[in-house]
Amino acid sequence: MFESVDDVADKFEKKKYICGNEIATAVFLAEKMGKPILVEGPAGVGKTELAKTAADVMGAELIRLQCYEGLDETKALYEWEYGKQLLYTQILKEKIDELIGGAETLAGAVERISSQEEVFFSRRFVLPRPLLRAITAEKRTALLIDEVDRADPEFEAFLLEILSDFQVSIPELGTISAAHVPFVVLTSNNTREVSDALKRRCLYLFINYPSHEQELRIVRLKVPGAGERLAREIVSVVQSVRTLDLKKTPSISETLDWAAALVIIGAASLTEDLLNSTLNVVLKFEEDIEEARKRLPALLRAAHGTENPELH
């Protein structure tokens, strides 16, 4: 699929995902070694987008498992379609009556019914959830296990069999192995530490907020309507705002939203009034907006390149 690390970076950029050498190397090695990637970092730096872009580049279906507290096997792996089983039972009632008709005892009737269990506990009655879908797909898939740190440690332990051997065990059906090993990305926002056992099974990648030049490349690529001057000013302000003591640091997606909003307004450059009136696009808490407003002159100087972007 990928010929080299540079090939990863080139193909990702064509899909409008700018990745540095570290990200490109992790993707290249994961694809060649058949290992999952555990991607950690702040919210909004492109962890989920990495999996989406990889799937797009590979031409693979993206299967997403969103993790949350209380997630269990039935939501992640499979469920039995009991309603469908009941419907089949009602349709086949006459055949069931014939099957147990000659039984002299209740135990004998149960024995005859149990001999037909494979009819009602077969894959036709299994409702596959994301993990089983990824393993049983006819073509290779990309599996995104998003925000694994939000799931319970017990669920994390359940993942180990799948990520080690890419197989699952269903008591009524036995072991099902992957026809094609999926390309797996797990993301974590570091709300809790994931286990060492899980980390051992993965390549590790930490994605932080981008540098000024990298973020500028992202804005140019994603919001081509923003002029060069405006794009540089936007990135300079966001980089400066990230140095403040905020409740929520602005992500790359919020930088892009702000750039798009300013293009819609028709801005060619940032002014104090424009900066003041659009801070709510890039900051999402009132106390953060007020903190930034206290520093409007400094932010404007940073935007125009007359002050170091770090405000502390």
Side-chain angles (χ1 to χ4, degrees), residues 2 4-10 12 17 19-30 50 205:
F2 298 115
S4 64
V5 172
D6 289 341
D7 186 41
V8 174
D10 290 342
F12 270 51
Y17 188 101
C19 62
N21 188 66
E22 188 175 2
I23 295 175
T25 300
V27 171
F28 178 72
L29 292 176
L50 171 65
L205 175 64

XYZ file of all heavy atoms in Angstrom, residues 2 4-10 12 17 19-30 50 205:
182
model
N 1.800 1.342 0.973
C 2.711 2.485 1.049
C 4.123 2.023 0.690
O 4.611 1.028 1.214
C 2.710 3.092 2.441
C 1.369 3.650 2.863
C 0.675 3.090 3.928
C 0.805 4.725 2.200
C -0.553 3.594 4.315
C -0.421 5.245 2.575
C -1.108 4.672 3.640
N 6.900 4.013 1.050
C 7.888 4.607 1.945
C 7.178 5.575 2.889
O 5.979 5.844 2.742
C 8.955 5.364 1.149
O 8.355 6.464 0.468
N 7.948 6.116 3.844
C 7.405 7.127 4.753
C 6.984 8.366 3.978
O 5.915 8.942 4.211
C 8.445 7.484 5.834
C 7.968 8.674 6.672
C 8.713 6.275 6.739
N 7.803 8.767 3.010
C 7.469 9.936 2.184
C 6.197 9.696 1.383
O 5.411 10.624 1.148
C 8.619 10.275 1.239
C 9.816 10.864 1.967
O 9.639 11.345 3.105
O 10.937 10.835 1.403
N 6.002 8.461 0.958
C 4.795 8.112 0.201
C 3.554 8.307 1.061
O 2.512 8.779 0.585
C 4.895 6.666 -0.292
C 3.740 6.281 -1.204
O 3.350 7.102 -2.052
O 3.214 5.154 -1.051
N 3.646 7.946 2.353
C 2.528 8.176 3.286
C 2.218 9.663 3.358
O 1.056 10.091 3.224
C 2.858 7.637 4.695
C 1.750 8.010 5.680
C 3.046 6.124 4.667
N 3.244 10.481 3.584
C 3.043 11.920 3.720
C 2.428 12.514 2.456
O 1.513 13.359 2.532
C 4.377 12.597 4.031
N 2.902 12.073 1.289
C 2.382 12.599 0.025
C 0.914 12.221 -0.173
O 0.090 13.073 -0.557
C 3.203 12.061 -1.147
C 4.612 12.631 -1.192
O 4.844 13.670 -0.540
O 5.478 12.035 -1.863
N -1.277 11.347 2.119
C -2.107 12.012 3.119
C -2.343 13.476 2.733
O -3.455 13.992 2.891
C -1.465 11.916 4.503
C -1.877 10.698 5.281
C -1.802 9.435 4.724
C -2.340 10.812 6.577
C -2.185 8.312 5.431
C -2.745 9.700 7.295
C -2.667 8.441 6.728
N -4.541 16.113 4.583
C -4.074 15.858 5.954
C -2.561 16.081 5.963
O -1.814 15.330 5.330
C -4.406 14.438 6.401
C -4.115 14.168 7.875
C -5.136 14.174 8.814
C -2.815 13.909 8.320
C -4.879 13.924 10.163
C -2.542 13.677 9.654
C -3.575 13.683 10.570
O -3.309 13.445 11.908
N 0.849 15.783 7.627
C 1.456 15.007 8.718
C 2.977 15.127 8.646
O 3.566 15.116 7.564
C 1.030 13.543 8.678
S 1.498 12.623 7.212
N 3.579 15.249 9.813
C 5.024 15.297 9.901
C 5.636 13.921 9.752
O 4.942 12.918 9.587
N 6.950 13.862 9.854
C 7.672 12.613 9.653
C 7.297 11.554 10.691
O 7.211 10.367 10.383
C 9.181 12.879 9.709
C 9.986 11.662 9.307
O 9.932 11.226 8.163
N 10.722 11.096 10.253
N 7.044 11.988 11.938
C 6.716 11.024 12.995
C 5.391 10.325 12.716
O 5.271 9.107 12.881
C 6.660 11.743 14.355
C 6.525 10.794 15.529
C 6.585 11.510 16.872
O 6.692 12.759 16.869
O 6.506 10.832 17.911
N 4.385 11.089 12.312
C 3.081 10.503 12.003
C 3.188 9.584 10.791
O 2.688 8.459 10.804
C 2.032 11.601 11.753
C 1.788 12.415 13.024
C 0.720 10.990 11.262
C 0.862 13.599 12.832
N 3.851 10.059 9.741
C 3.995 9.258 8.524
C 4.740 7.959 8.796
O 4.380 6.898 8.261
C 4.718 10.071 7.449
N 5.758 8.020 9.653
C 6.521 6.812 9.997
C 5.646 5.811 10.742
O 5.684 4.602 10.463
C 7.750 7.175 10.852
O 8.591 8.067 10.119
C 8.545 5.936 11.223
N 4.852 6.289 11.698
C 3.973 5.403 12.468
C 2.964 4.707 11.562
O 2.724 3.498 11.686
C 3.258 6.199 13.553
N 2.374 5.445 10.632
C 1.399 4.862 9.708
C 2.078 3.835 8.805
O 1.552 2.734 8.587
C 0.724 5.965 8.864
C -0.133 5.347 7.754
C -0.135 6.864 9.753
N 3.252 4.171 8.292
C 3.984 3.253 7.409
C 4.307 1.946 8.130
O 4.074 0.850 7.597
C 5.265 3.931 6.931
C 6.124 3.061 6.052
C 5.744 2.768 4.748
C 7.316 2.532 6.536
C 6.543 1.963 3.937
C 8.110 1.725 5.737
C 7.723 1.439 4.430
N 4.837 2.048 9.352
C 5.217 0.849 10.100
C 3.989 0.027 10.513
O 4.014 -1.205 10.467
C 6.020 1.237 11.342
C 7.409 1.814 11.068
C 8.070 2.256 12.365
C 8.289 0.802 10.337
N 2.913 0.703 10.908
C 1.696 -0.008 11.305
C 1.149 -0.819 10.139
O 0.724 -1.972 10.306
C 0.649 0.979 11.800
N -6.845 11.167 11.483
C -5.775 10.297 10.995
C -6.345 8.971 10.512
O -5.997 8.489 9.423
C -4.758 10.061 12.115
C -3.672 9.000 11.857
C -2.773 9.434 10.718
C -2.856 8.751 13.114
N 1.990 6.698 19.271
C 2.154 7.981 18.587
C 1.492 9.071 19.425
O 0.328 8.923 19.827
C 1.504 7.925 17.202
C 1.486 9.221 16.385
C 2.904 9.660 16.039
C 0.654 9.030 15.112
